[in-house]
Amino acid sequence: MKAKKILIAILPLVVFAILVMVFKSSLNKDPRELETKLVGSPVPSFKLASVTNPEVILTNDDLPKEIFLLNVWGTWCVSCYAEHPYLMKFAKEVPIKWVGMNYKDAPKDAINYLNKYGDPFVYSISDVSGQMGIDLGVYGAPETFIVDANGMIRDRHVGVIDERVWNSVIIPKLKAIGWEQN
Amino acid sequence: MRLIYFLALWLASVTVLASENYQFDSPEQEQAYREISSQLRCPKCQNQSIADSDAELSEDLRFIVYQKLKAGDSKQEILDYMQKRYGDFVLYDPPVSPKNYVLWFMPIIVFIIIIASLVKKVGRRELQPEDEVK
């Protein structure tokens, strides 16, 4: 009987401890980071012009046949300016291809941007209307999709990729799907 | 003075909401448009529906809702289209899934536990004759 009383007395404490743990785990999560339903499905089909060569029409067949990164950017996107130097650095130092997706931008502005700050992309897809962005579930540029050799989306990162994110988030995720840094 | 200030703010918000002027085929279609756009959450500005939000993304999504209604898509088809791209998050009425079992079933479980413990307590009391003596 006494044991039962002690148990009942402890119960609120246990409930409190569980709640603390639940709330604690949420503290470290960014509520703006949303899941994507696209993990495990192919890059949505597109047929859009290249930013730098407007006469070239790009489709899914033009995507690299290896693990690559698809970066959504725009000249209207303030954070993209912060991210750009990192992209230049990674593109130079790390043997992985970056495909750009220029989201809701004027091609003229996009070309100026690449001329001024450098072009880390093998090519940039020009999504002037924003339809491809919607098909990708883009809600906050910059966003980076990890795509495998079969054109399947394996992961997504929303927000700026800097040195820290690159080493602690992107590289481990790339390695997890079999990418090797030579 | 303050009243005028608030009135001005209110008027400003009204004009923002009225900035899109879509032409609908029927009042039902317009009704459906209002319903759907108030049931979709803006992924960019998380506590607003796409009907309330002035974010550019919401504007684009509203336009898609409008286009799809015009093309004859059903409400469910449009909600599915959005869910496929933005996840359960975009729906203000998300489906029951393991992720939210706790929310759905916890109240029922707690209710059953309380009823069970009450029944046990009351049942025991009735069996004790000294209660009646008092």
Side-chain angles (χ1 to χ4, degrees):
Chain A
M1 206 58 218
K2 200 164 181 212
K4 200 178 166 191
K5 262 195 177 141
I6 293 172
L7 206 72
I8 287 171
I10 288 176
L11 195 69
L13 208 65
V14 173
V15 172
F16 177 71
I18 293 171
L19 281 177
V20 166
M21 280 190 283
V22 170
F23 293 145
K24 179 84 186 13
S25 71
S26 307
L27 266 184
N28 303 323
K29 264 203 276 181
D30 186 347
R32 283 166 303 180
E33 231 158 77
L34 305 183
E35 47 152 11
T36 168
K37 286 251 154 133
L38 286 163
V39 169
S41 42
V43 174
S45 69
F46 63 92
K47 201 175 168 190
L48 296 163
S50 155
V51 170
T52 42
N53 300 305
E55 65 282 1
V56 175
I57 301 298
L58 300 161
T59 67
N60 297 59
D61 297 332
D62 297 303
L63 295 174
K65 305 284 179 286
E66 58 189 70
I67 294 172
F68 68 96
L69 297 162
L70 177 69
N71 180 260
V72 179
W73 63 282
T75 59
W76 49 266
C77 150
V78 181
S79 312
C80 296
Y81 288 84
E83 186 184 56
H84 204 78
Y86 292 106
L87 299 191
M88 291 303 292
K89 182 173 183 285
F90 302 142
K92 208 169 124 197
E93 294 173 0
V94 187
I96 188 159
K97 281 183 179 159
W98 289 80
V99 171
M101 200 278 252
N102 183 232
Y103 180 48
K104 294 202 78 175
D105 222 341
K108 199 175 71 186
D109 296 342
I111 291 170
N112 285 340
Y113 179 93
L114 294 176
N115 284 340
K116 192 168 173 194
Y117 301 106
D119 187 351
F121 307 113
V122 286
Y123 54 77
S124 280
I125 303 158
S126 180
D127 181 27
V128 177
S129 75
Q131 183 58 49
M132 187 182 181
I134 284 168
D135 288 340
L136 278 166
V138 169
Y139 65 93
E143 287 189 23
T144 303
F145 292 82
I146 299 176
V147 187
D148 69 16
N150 302 318
M152 292 285 176
I153 293 171
R154 301 297 290 267
D155 220 313
R156 166 175 75 170
H157 178 80
V158 177
V160 172
I161 297 179
D162 55 15
E163 204 84 51
R164 189 187 60 79
V165 175
W166 179 252
N167 289 317
S168 65
V169 181
I170 307 297
I171 291 281
K173 280 180 173 171
L174 285 172
K175 283 187 173 156
I177 63 164
W179 177 78
E180 276 162 30
Q181 185 168 8
N182 305 311
Chain B
M1 185 58 215
R2 189 175 281 181
L3 187 73
I4 294 172
Y5 178 64
F6 278 117
L7 211 66
L9 273 181
W10 178 74
L11 275 174
S13 67
V14 168
T15 43
V16 164
L17 287 177
S19 62
E20 281 156 346
N21 221 336
Y22 291 149
Q23 299 298 316
F24 293 94
D25 298 337
S26 64
E28 290 78 32
Q29 196 177 56
E30 186 169 357
Q31 180 61 28
Y33 170 79
R34 294 199 189 287
E35 251 180 62
I36 295 167
S37 53
S38 61
Q39 278 172 26
L40 287 169
R41 189 204 291 257
C42 165
K44 183 81 199 163
C45 31
Q46 304 203 332
N47 286 327
Q48 281 182 306
S49 69
I50 64 165
D52 289 335
S53 161
D54 198 33
E56 208 174 316
L57 180 59
S58 293
E59 207 176 289
D60 291 351
L61 294 180
R62 283 197 298 268
F63 183 59
I64 286 178
V65 171
Y66 171 70
Q67 274 181 321
K68 290 200 169 291
L69 278 172
K70 280 282 213 182
D73 281 17
S74 73
K75 182 179 163 185
Q76 196 53 47
E77 278 169 331
I78 297 172
L79 294 179
D80 288 348
Y81 174 94
M82 296 295 179
Q83 191 193 7
K84 221 181 117 199
R85 285 159 178 77
Y86 295 98
D88 292 349
F89 177 88
V90 80
L91 305 176
Y92 266 118
D93 186 11
V96 181
S97 75
K99 259 188 288 178
N100 53 33
Y101 278 168
V102 172
L103 289 177
W104 280 97
F105 302 117
M106 196 62 166
I108 300 170
I109 292 168
V110 169
F111 183 72
I112 290 171
I113 291 173
I114 290 171
I115 292 294
S117 61
L118 273 180
V119 165
K120 214 174 147 199
K121 238 185 180 154
V122 172
R124 198 168 51 217
R125 190 185 288 168
E126 275 173 358
L127 286 177
Q128 288 168 351
E130 62 262 40
D131 274 4
E132 282 167 37
V133 178
K134 280 179 202 164

PDB file of all heavy atoms in Angstrom, chain A residues 17 30 32 34 64 75 81 92 94-95 99 102 106 111 123 131 137 152 161-162 169 172 174 179:
ATOM      1  N   ALA A  17       9.096  15.109 -16.105  1.00  0.00           N
ATOM      2  CA  ALA A  17      10.383  14.799 -16.732  1.00  0.00           C
ATOM      3  C   ALA A  17      10.199  14.481 -18.218  1.00  0.00           C
ATOM      4  O   ALA A  17      10.967  14.954 -19.064  1.00  0.00           O
ATOM      5  CB  ALA A  17      11.050  13.633 -16.009  1.00  0.00           C
ATOM      6  N   ASP A  30      14.377  23.924 -35.734  1.00  0.00           N
ATOM      7  CA  ASP A  30      13.931  25.145 -36.361  1.00  0.00           C
ATOM      8  C   ASP A  30      12.525  24.901 -36.919  1.00  0.00           C
ATOM      9  O   ASP A  30      12.355  24.089 -37.825  1.00  0.00           O
ATOM     10  CB  ASP A  30      14.891  25.518 -37.506  1.00  0.00           C
ATOM     11  CG  ASP A  30      14.542  26.867 -38.102  1.00  0.00           C
ATOM     12  OD1 ASP A  30      13.444  27.373 -37.804  1.00  0.00           O
ATOM     13  OD2 ASP A  30      15.358  27.409 -38.840  1.00  0.00           O
ATOM     14  N   ARG A  32      10.865  26.524 -38.840  1.00  0.00           N
ATOM     15  CA  ARG A  32      10.698  26.909 -40.246  1.00  0.00           C
ATOM     16  C   ARG A  32      11.160  25.811 -41.191  1.00  0.00           C
ATOM     17  O   ARG A  32      10.943  25.869 -42.385  1.00  0.00           O
ATOM     18  CB  ARG A  32      11.475  28.190 -40.540  1.00  0.00           C
ATOM     19  CG  ARG A  32      10.784  29.425 -40.018  1.00  0.00           C
ATOM     20  CD  ARG A  32      11.736  30.582 -40.024  1.00  0.00           C
ATOM     21  NE  ARG A  32      12.923  30.261 -39.232  1.00  0.00           N
ATOM     22  CZ  ARG A  32      13.937  31.097 -39.048  1.00  0.00           C
ATOM     23  NH1 ARG A  32      13.944  32.252 -39.615  1.00  0.00           N
ATOM     24  NH2 ARG A  32      14.964  30.740 -38.313  1.00  0.00           N
ATOM     25  N   LEU A  34      10.775  22.554 -42.884  1.00  0.00           N
ATOM     26  CA  LEU A  34       9.668  21.642 -43.157  1.00  0.00           C
ATOM     27  C   LEU A  34      10.175  20.367 -43.800  1.00  0.00           C
ATOM     28  O   LEU A  34      11.195  20.366 -44.467  1.00  0.00           O
ATOM     29  CB  LEU A  34       8.669  22.308 -44.101  1.00  0.00           C
ATOM     30  CG  LEU A  34       8.116  23.664 -43.670  1.00  0.00           C
ATOM     31  CD1 LEU A  34       7.091  24.140 -44.677  1.00  0.00           C
ATOM     32  CD2 LEU A  34       7.485  23.563 -42.300  1.00  0.00           C
ATOM     33  N   PRO A  64      23.122  15.539 -64.143  1.00  0.00           N
ATOM     34  CA  PRO A  64      24.321  14.683 -64.059  1.00  0.00           C
ATOM     35  C   PRO A  64      23.945  13.244 -63.673  1.00  0.00           C
ATOM     36  O   PRO A  64      23.033  13.041 -62.872  1.00  0.00           O
ATOM     37  CB  PRO A  64      25.136  15.343 -62.933  1.00  0.00           C
ATOM     38  CG  PRO A  64      24.652  16.755 -62.872  1.00  0.00           C
ATOM     39  CD  PRO A  64      23.209  16.713 -63.254  1.00  0.00           C
ATOM     40  N   THR A  75      18.352  36.238 -57.614  1.00  0.00           N
ATOM     41  CA  THR A  75      19.053  37.490 -57.303  1.00  0.00           C
ATOM     42  C   THR A  75      18.254  38.318 -56.298  1.00  0.00           C
ATOM     43  O   THR A  75      18.778  39.232 -55.686  1.00  0.00           O
ATOM     44  CB  THR A  75      19.281  38.338 -58.572  1.00  0.00           C
ATOM     45  OG1 THR A  75      18.006  38.625 -59.138  1.00  0.00           O
ATOM     46  CG2 THR A  75      20.128  37.607 -59.575  1.00  0.00           C
ATOM     47  N   TYR A  81      23.137  35.735 -51.530  1.00  0.00           N
ATOM     48  CA  TYR A  81      24.379  36.505 -51.647  1.00  0.00           C
ATOM     49  C   TYR A  81      25.380  36.056 -50.589  1.00  0.00           C
ATOM     50  O   TYR A  81      26.581  36.029 -50.826  1.00  0.00           O
ATOM     51  CB  TYR A  81      24.099  38.011 -51.499  1.00  0.00           C
ATOM     52  CG  TYR A  81      23.395  38.604 -52.693  1.00  0.00           C
ATOM     53  CD1 TYR A  81      22.014  38.531 -52.810  1.00  0.00           C
ATOM     54  CD2 TYR A  81      24.113  39.224 -53.709  1.00  0.00           C
ATOM     55  CE1 TYR A  81      21.351  39.070 -53.911  1.00  0.00           C
ATOM     56  CE2 TYR A  81      23.471  39.782 -54.815  1.00  0.00           C
ATOM     57  CZ  TYR A  81      22.085  39.688 -54.915  1.00  0.00           C
ATOM     58  OH  TYR A  81      21.447  40.211 -56.000  1.00  0.00           O
ATOM     59  N   LYS A  92      34.946  24.674 -56.154  1.00  0.00           N
ATOM     60  CA  LYS A  92      36.347  24.647 -56.544  1.00  0.00           C
ATOM     61  C   LYS A  92      37.095  23.496 -55.850  1.00  0.00           C
ATOM     62  O   LYS A  92      37.921  22.817 -56.458  1.00  0.00           O
ATOM     63  CB  LYS A  92      37.000  25.994 -56.177  1.00  0.00           C
ATOM     64  CG  LYS A  92      38.175  26.361 -57.062  1.00  0.00           C
ATOM     65  CD  LYS A  92      38.585  27.807 -56.799  1.00  0.00           C
ATOM     66  CE  LYS A  92      40.058  27.841 -56.413  1.00  0.00           C
ATOM     67  NZ  LYS A  92      40.433  29.103 -55.763  1.00  0.00           N
ATOM     68  N   VAL A  94      35.722  20.822 -53.835  1.00  0.00           N
ATOM     69  CA  VAL A  94      35.124  19.503 -53.628  1.00  0.00           C
ATOM     70  C   VAL A  94      34.621  18.949 -54.960  1.00  0.00           C
ATOM     71  O   VAL A  94      33.924  19.649 -55.697  1.00  0.00           O
ATOM     72  CB  VAL A  94      33.960  19.586 -52.615  1.00  0.00           C
ATOM     73  CG1 VAL A  94      33.448  18.199 -52.251  1.00  0.00           C
ATOM     74  CG2 VAL A  94      34.390  20.345 -51.376  1.00  0.00           C
ATOM     75  N   PRO A  95      34.992  17.705 -55.287  1.00  0.00           N
ATOM     76  CA  PRO A  95      34.589  17.158 -56.591  1.00  0.00           C
ATOM     77  C   PRO A  95      33.128  16.706 -56.605  1.00  0.00           C
ATOM     78  O   PRO A  95      32.837  15.512 -56.632  1.00  0.00           O
ATOM     79  CB  PRO A  95      35.545  15.972 -56.772  1.00  0.00           C
ATOM     80  CG  PRO A  95      35.875  15.545 -55.373  1.00  0.00           C
ATOM     81  CD  PRO A  95      35.818  16.768 -54.516  1.00  0.00           C
ATOM     82  N   VAL A  99      24.151  21.914 -59.672  1.00  0.00           N
ATOM     83  CA  VAL A  99      23.249  22.393 -60.711  1.00  0.00           C
ATOM     84  C   VAL A  99      22.464  23.536 -60.080  1.00  0.00           C
ATOM     85  O   VAL A  99      21.963  23.407 -58.962  1.00  0.00           O
ATOM     86  CB  VAL A  99      22.300  21.272 -61.185  1.00  0.00           C
ATOM     87  CG1 VAL A  99      21.223  21.835 -62.105  1.00  0.00           C
ATOM     88  CG2 VAL A  99      23.085  20.176 -61.903  1.00  0.00           C
ATOM     89  N   ASN A 102      17.570  28.722 -61.003  1.00  0.00           N
ATOM     90  CA  ASN A 102      17.340  30.143 -60.820  1.00  0.00           C
ATOM     91  C   ASN A 102      15.835  30.369 -60.744  1.00  0.00           C
ATOM     92  O   ASN A 102      15.116  30.291 -61.724  1.00  0.00           O
ATOM     93  CB  ASN A 102      17.954  30.903 -62.007  1.00  0.00           C
ATOM     94  CG  ASN A 102      17.811  32.395 -61.852  1.00  0.00           C
ATOM     95  OD1 ASN A 102      17.328  33.075 -62.750  1.00  0.00           O
ATOM     96  ND2 ASN A 102      18.198  32.918 -60.718  1.00  0.00           N
ATOM     97  N   ALA A 106      14.617  37.378 -63.325  1.00  0.00           N
ATOM     98  CA  ALA A 106      14.776  37.827 -64.695  1.00  0.00           C
ATOM     99  C   ALA A 106      16.119  37.284 -65.192  1.00  0.00           C
ATOM    100  O   ALA A 106      17.132  37.492 -64.526  1.00  0.00           O
ATOM    101  CB  ALA A 106      14.775  39.346 -64.756  1.00  0.00           C
ATOM    102  N   ILE A 111      22.158  36.497 -65.092  1.00  0.00           N
ATOM    103  CA  ILE A 111      23.441  36.477 -65.807  1.00  0.00           C
ATOM    104  C   ILE A 111      24.402  37.500 -65.196  1.00  0.00           C
ATOM    105  O   ILE A 111      25.569  37.202 -64.960  1.00  0.00           O
ATOM    106  CB  ILE A 111      23.231  36.754 -67.319  1.00  0.00           C
ATOM    107  CG1 ILE A 111      22.506  35.564 -67.954  1.00  0.00           C
ATOM    108  CG2 ILE A 111      24.560  36.993 -68.023  1.00  0.00           C
ATOM    109  CD1 ILE A 111      22.028  35.802 -69.367  1.00  0.00           C
ATOM    110  N   TYR A 123      25.413  24.263 -64.838  1.00  0.00           N
ATOM    111  CA  TYR A 123      24.473  25.123 -65.566  1.00  0.00           C
ATOM    112  C   TYR A 123      23.370  25.504 -64.592  1.00  0.00           C
ATOM    113  O   TYR A 123      23.218  24.870 -63.550  1.00  0.00           O
ATOM    114  CB  TYR A 123      23.881  24.427 -66.803  1.00  0.00           C
ATOM    115  CG  TYR A 123      23.230  23.099 -66.519  1.00  0.00           C
ATOM    116  CD1 TYR A 123      21.975  23.028 -65.953  1.00  0.00           C
ATOM    117  CD2 TYR A 123      23.880  21.901 -66.830  1.00  0.00           C
ATOM    118  CE1 TYR A 123      21.380  21.797 -65.690  1.00  0.00           C
ATOM    119  CE2 TYR A 123      23.294  20.683 -66.567  1.00  0.00           C
ATOM    120  CZ  TYR A 123      22.034  20.635 -65.993  1.00  0.00           C
ATOM    121  OH  TYR A 123      21.462  19.434 -65.721  1.00  0.00           O
ATOM    122  N   GLN A 131       7.143  27.607 -61.632  1.00  0.00           N
ATOM    123  CA  GLN A 131       6.433  26.324 -61.591  1.00  0.00           C
ATOM    124  C   GLN A 131       7.328  25.197 -61.079  1.00  0.00           C
ATOM    125  O   GLN A 131       6.900  24.363 -60.283  1.00  0.00           O
ATOM    126  CB  GLN A 131       5.887  25.983 -62.983  1.00  0.00           C
ATOM    127  CG  GLN A 131       5.059  24.707 -63.032  1.00  0.00           C
ATOM    128  CD  GLN A 131       3.863  24.737 -62.087  1.00  0.00           C
ATOM    129  OE1 GLN A 131       3.102  25.693 -62.066  1.00  0.00           O
ATOM    130  NE2 GLN A 131       3.704  23.705 -61.268  1.00  0.00           N
ATOM    131  N   GLY A 137       8.500  22.056 -54.161  1.00  0.00           N
ATOM    132  CA  GLY A 137       8.103  22.434 -52.811  1.00  0.00           C
ATOM    133  C   GLY A 137       9.007  23.478 -52.207  1.00  0.00           C
ATOM    134  O   GLY A 137       9.167  23.533 -50.998  1.00  0.00           O
ATOM    135  N   MET A 152      17.101  10.685 -58.322  1.00  0.00           N
ATOM    136  CA  MET A 152      16.167  10.645 -57.198  1.00  0.00           C
ATOM    137  C   MET A 152      16.595  11.659 -56.138  1.00  0.00           C
ATOM    138  O   MET A 152      17.781  11.739 -55.794  1.00  0.00           O
ATOM    139  CB  MET A 152      16.180   9.256 -56.539  1.00  0.00           C
ATOM    140  CG  MET A 152      15.598   8.175 -57.415  1.00  0.00           C
ATOM    141  SD  MET A 152      13.810   8.323 -57.433  1.00  0.00           S
ATOM    142  CE  MET A 152      13.416   7.030 -58.601  1.00  0.00           C
ATOM    143  N   ILE A 161      24.036  27.327 -46.913  1.00  0.00           N
ATOM    144  CA  ILE A 161      25.060  26.327 -46.616  1.00  0.00           C
ATOM    145  C   ILE A 161      26.373  27.077 -46.442  1.00  0.00           C
ATOM    146  O   ILE A 161      26.918  27.619 -47.396  1.00  0.00           O
ATOM    147  CB  ILE A 161      25.183  25.292 -47.744  1.00  0.00           C
ATOM    148  CG1 ILE A 161      23.870  24.524 -47.880  1.00  0.00           C
ATOM    149  CG2 ILE A 161      26.330  24.319 -47.453  1.00  0.00           C
ATOM    150  CD1 ILE A 161      23.880  23.490 -48.970  1.00  0.00           C
ATOM    151  N   ASP A 162      26.848  27.118 -45.204  1.00  0.00           N
ATOM    152  CA  ASP A 162      28.159  27.720 -44.967  1.00  0.00           C
ATOM    153  C   ASP A 162      29.128  26.588 -44.611  1.00  0.00           C
ATOM    154  O   ASP A 162      28.777  25.410 -44.707  1.00  0.00           O
ATOM    155  CB  ASP A 162      28.079  28.795 -43.879  1.00  0.00           C
ATOM    156  CG  ASP A 162      27.469  28.257 -42.591  1.00  0.00           C
ATOM    157  OD1 ASP A 162      27.384  27.017 -42.444  1.00  0.00           O
ATOM    158  OD2 ASP A 162      27.076  29.065 -41.730  1.00  0.00           O
ATOM    159  N   VAL A 169      26.405  18.824 -41.941  1.00  0.00           N
ATOM    160  CA  VAL A 169      25.118  18.333 -42.461  1.00  0.00           C
ATOM    161  C   VAL A 169      25.266  17.720 -43.855  1.00  0.00           C
ATOM    162  O   VAL A 169      24.913  16.559 -44.081  1.00  0.00           O
ATOM    163  CB  VAL A 169      24.063  19.468 -42.501  1.00  0.00           C
ATOM    164  CG1 VAL A 169      22.727  18.935 -43.012  1.00  0.00           C
ATOM    165  CG2 VAL A 169      23.894  20.102 -41.127  1.00  0.00           C
ATOM    166  N   PRO A 172      28.047  14.611 -44.365  1.00  0.00           N
ATOM    167  CA  PRO A 172      27.569  13.323 -43.835  1.00  0.00           C
ATOM    168  C   PRO A 172      26.398  12.738 -44.625  1.00  0.00           C
ATOM    169  O   PRO A 172      26.330  11.528 -44.850  1.00  0.00           O
ATOM    170  CB  PRO A 172      27.134  13.667 -42.399  1.00  0.00           C
ATOM    171  CG  PRO A 172      27.888  14.900 -42.049  1.00  0.00           C
ATOM    172  CD  PRO A 172      28.061  15.654 -43.319  1.00  0.00           C
ATOM    173  N   LEU A 174      25.775  13.215 -47.811  1.00  0.00           N
ATOM    174  CA  LEU A 174      26.308  12.725 -49.085  1.00  0.00           C
ATOM    175  C   LEU A 174      26.981  11.370 -48.891  1.00  0.00           C
ATOM    176  O   LEU A 174      26.783  10.440 -49.687  1.00  0.00           O
ATOM    177  CB  LEU A 174      27.320  13.730 -49.656  1.00  0.00           C
ATOM    178  CG  LEU A 174      26.735  15.005 -50.283  1.00  0.00           C
ATOM    179  CD1 LEU A 174      27.846  15.978 -50.618  1.00  0.00           C
ATOM    180  CD2 LEU A 174      25.923  14.670 -51.528  1.00  0.00           C
ATOM    181  N   TRP A 179      28.364   8.679 -51.549  1.00  0.00           N
ATOM    182  CA  TRP A 179      29.276   9.589 -52.250  1.00  0.00           C
ATOM    183  C   TRP A 179      30.652   9.510 -51.585  1.00  0.00           C
ATOM    184  O   TRP A 179      30.761   9.412 -50.372  1.00  0.00           O
ATOM    185  CB  TRP A 179      28.734  11.009 -52.177  1.00  0.00           C
ATOM    186  CG  TRP A 179      29.632  12.050 -52.795  1.00  0.00           C
ATOM    187  CD1 TRP A 179      29.779  12.310 -54.115  1.00  0.00           C
ATOM    188  CD2 TRP A 179      30.486  12.960 -52.112  1.00  0.00           C
ATOM    189  NE1 TRP A 179      30.666  13.326 -54.306  1.00  0.00           N
ATOM    190  CE2 TRP A 179      31.125  13.746 -53.088  1.00  0.00           C
ATOM    191  CE3 TRP A 179      30.785  13.187 -50.763  1.00  0.00           C
ATOM    192  CZ2 TRP A 179      32.044  14.755 -52.775  1.00  0.00           C
ATOM    193  CZ3 TRP A 179      31.686  14.185 -50.448  1.00  0.00           C
ATOM    194  CH2 TRP A 179      32.306  14.961 -51.448  1.00  0.00           C
TER     195      TRP A 179
END
